[in-house]
Amino acid sequence: MPDATILMTPKARDLLQKQERSASVVGFEEAVVDFFVDAADLLGVPKSVAVLYGIVFASPQPLSFADIQARGTLSKGSVSQGLRVLREMGAIKEVSAPADRSELFTPDLEMRRLIQRFLEQRLEKQLAAGKSRLGALQRALPNLEKSHAETLRSRLEQLQSWHEKARALLPIARTYLKLAPG
Amino acid sequence: MPDATILMTPKARDLLQKQERSASVVGFEEAVVDFFVDAADLLGVPKSVAVLYGIVFASPQPLSFADIQARGTLSKGSVSQGLRVLREMGAIKEVSAPADRSELFTPDLEMRRLIQRFLEQRLEKQLAAGKSRLGALQRALPNLEKSHAETLRSRLEQLQSWHEKARALLPIARTYLKLAPG
DNA sequence: CCCCGAGTTCAATCTAAATTGAGCTAAAAT
DNA sequence: ATTTTAGCTCAATTTAGATTGAACTCGGGG
């Protein structure tokens, strides 16, 4: 490795790497990161994960662990955990390294599947929980005095109706996602 | 008011009130509260608000501020703030008090409108923010070197495509909500 | 006019979750 | 075999946000 950077501390190398990226590239990356941070916030995904995904998404080349850490935005721990989460979700994939170097990550652009999996994980679990709660309510109802039972029965029905609507929405969304390009 | 409770401290009255509710009524309420707490958690709504709504929803009669506070689950501050939030959302409404007593609250069962408003507030804001972010990205693109621009352009397009899909989903959901009873 | 209690406000506190980084592990380099 | 380093783990810290409750406001009753 007859390379001047070998004499530098890792920190110095990182800084160099950072400065080498042109202002426009950095600016673009920042904008992408902001976009994903916003979206993550809506979906309840931790910010660090969104930042990480933004960095990978904004890079034309696959990035290594070190590359990402060199951005200086995230701690080693966050990078490690975040990459794991993203891999497990299928949001990024590792492209086999050209030579000896460590694994490189690039976004998995099958976003359709990604989003689908995400929705299903969250909603499906939620709907299952809701269903059992409604069951409990159903069972609690007969024990109430007559005067109360009537109003409450109708409210419970309302809850059930909404629950069903929500459940019906999942397949619709699924179908919808299959249409149109992307 | 030739009523024994008039001689009690407010605290004592509250406790009495609490004990008077039968076990089955309390149990029903708890189950309803749990249901809404679960749902709120998915939607990112504070737990105290969900509890509050659950209490109101589970009561066959409209409840006063004091009634709710008497449940002992929430502090005065939380009740006050929570009721305001729920009123602003249109999740509960005040029924005009029969005589001199303070205002009474009951769930506003026009859930369709409620849910619609909720979705639109969150998603609409999100989509607007996303749109401007995408604009920024679009503008940042031309400044990148040719070698990078191609890949990134296509990724950006992908982002835009998803953004459009999300936007298209809103009206679909709206239409869907109009159908079916509830 | 002053007092009392219902309800509001908001600074202080608590809570849950995210984030960090020191130390560990395992594998590559010498 | 030993050193070096990349990456993982998890206890400790930080942070963001929810919750509390003491001090206040305001309207009605005496």
Side-chain angles (χ1 to χ4, degrees), chain B residues 47-48 75 77-78:
Chain B
K47 183 176 153 170
S48 72
S75 70
S78 288

Side-chain angles (χ1 to χ4, degrees), chain A residues 18 67-74:
Chain A
K18 187 167 190 181
D67 292 333
I68 295 165
Q69 216 193 327
R71 297 290 186 277
T73 333
L74 296 169

Side-chain angles (χ1 to χ4, degrees), chain B residues 71-86:
Chain B
R71 297 290 186 277
T73 333
L74 296 169
S75 70
K76 199 152 58 116
S78 288
V79 174
S80 172
Q81 289 175 189
L83 283 176
R84 180 155 49 77
V85 169
L86 290 174

Side-chain angles (χ1 to χ4, degrees), chain B residues 21-77:
Chain B
R21 301 190 303 131
S22 75
S24 55
V25 169
V26 173
F28 184 81
E29 179 181 286
E30 273 167 13
V32 172
V33 167
D34 287 350
F35 178 87
F36 284 113
V37 167
D38 266 16
D41 173 83
L42 178 70
L43 300 171
V45 171
K47 183 176 153 170
S48 72
V49 172
V51 169
L52 195 47
Y53 185 70
I55 291 173
V56 173
F57 191 93
S59 167
Q61 312 94 3
L63 296 178
S64 69
F65 189 111
D67 292 333
I68 295 166
Q69 217 193 329
R71 297 290 186 277
T73 333
L74 296 169
S75 70
K76 199 152 58 116

Side-chain angles (χ1 to χ4, degrees), chain A residues 5-181:
Chain A
T5 63
I6 204 176
L7 301 172
M8 298 176 178
T9 64
K11 181 104 188 261
R13 238 182 293 137
D14 291 351
L15 286 171
L16 179 59
Q17 230 170 319
K18 187 167 190 181
Q19 276 169 310
E20 262 168 9
R21 301 189 302 132
S22 77
S24 55
V25 169
V26 173
F28 184 82
E29 179 181 285
E30 273 167 13
V32 171
V33 167
D34 287 350
F35 179 87
F36 284 113
V37 167
D38 267 16
D41 173 83
L42 177 71
L43 301 171
V45 171
K47 183 176 153 172
S48 72
V49 172
V51 169
L52 196 48
Y53 186 70
I55 290 173
V56 173
F57 191 93
S59 167
Q61 312 93 7
L63 295 179
S64 70
F65 189 111
D67 292 333
I68 295 165
Q69 216 193 327
R71 297 290 186 277
T73 333
L74 296 169
S75 71
K76 202 152 56 116
S78 287
V79 174
S80 173
Q81 289 174 190
L83 282 176
R84 179 156 52 76
V85 169
L86 290 174
R87 252 179 297 158
E88 283 172 4
M89 287 178 75
I92 61 177
K93 61 188 172 191
E94 19 192 310
V95 301
S96 56
D100 59 322
R101 303 180 87 260
S102 51
E103 321 185 83
L104 300 177
F105 298 96
T106 207
D108 185 337
L109 293 177
E110 290 279 6
M111 281 216 212
R112 186 182 306 161
R113 226 177 302 162
L114 170 62
I115 291 174
Q116 207 166 295
R117 216 178 312 172
F118 185 85
L119 283 182
E120 279 174 26
Q121 257 174 36
R122 312 269 309 214
L123 295 188
E124 194 58 52
K125 199 160 56 125
Q126 190 62 33
L127 288 171
K131 188 178 173 186
S132 88
R133 297 269 191 217
L134 287 175
L137 281 171
Q138 194 74 268
R139 267 171 270 121
L141 209 43
N143 302 322
L144 301 173
E145 320 162 34
K146 188 148 155 289
S147 64
H148 294 144
E150 220 22 70
T151 342
L152 294 182
R153 168 179 315 287
S154 97
R155 289 197 191 161
L156 180 49
E157 266 161 27
Q158 198 151 139
L159 244 40
Q160 275 159 339
S161 144
W162 279 102
H163 186 261
E164 277 153 31
K165 280 194 199 180
R167 180 164 284 297
L169 212 45
L170 253 186
I172 292 177
R174 195 173 323 181
T175 309
Y176 175 72
L177 287 176
K178 285 198 189 123
L179 309 173

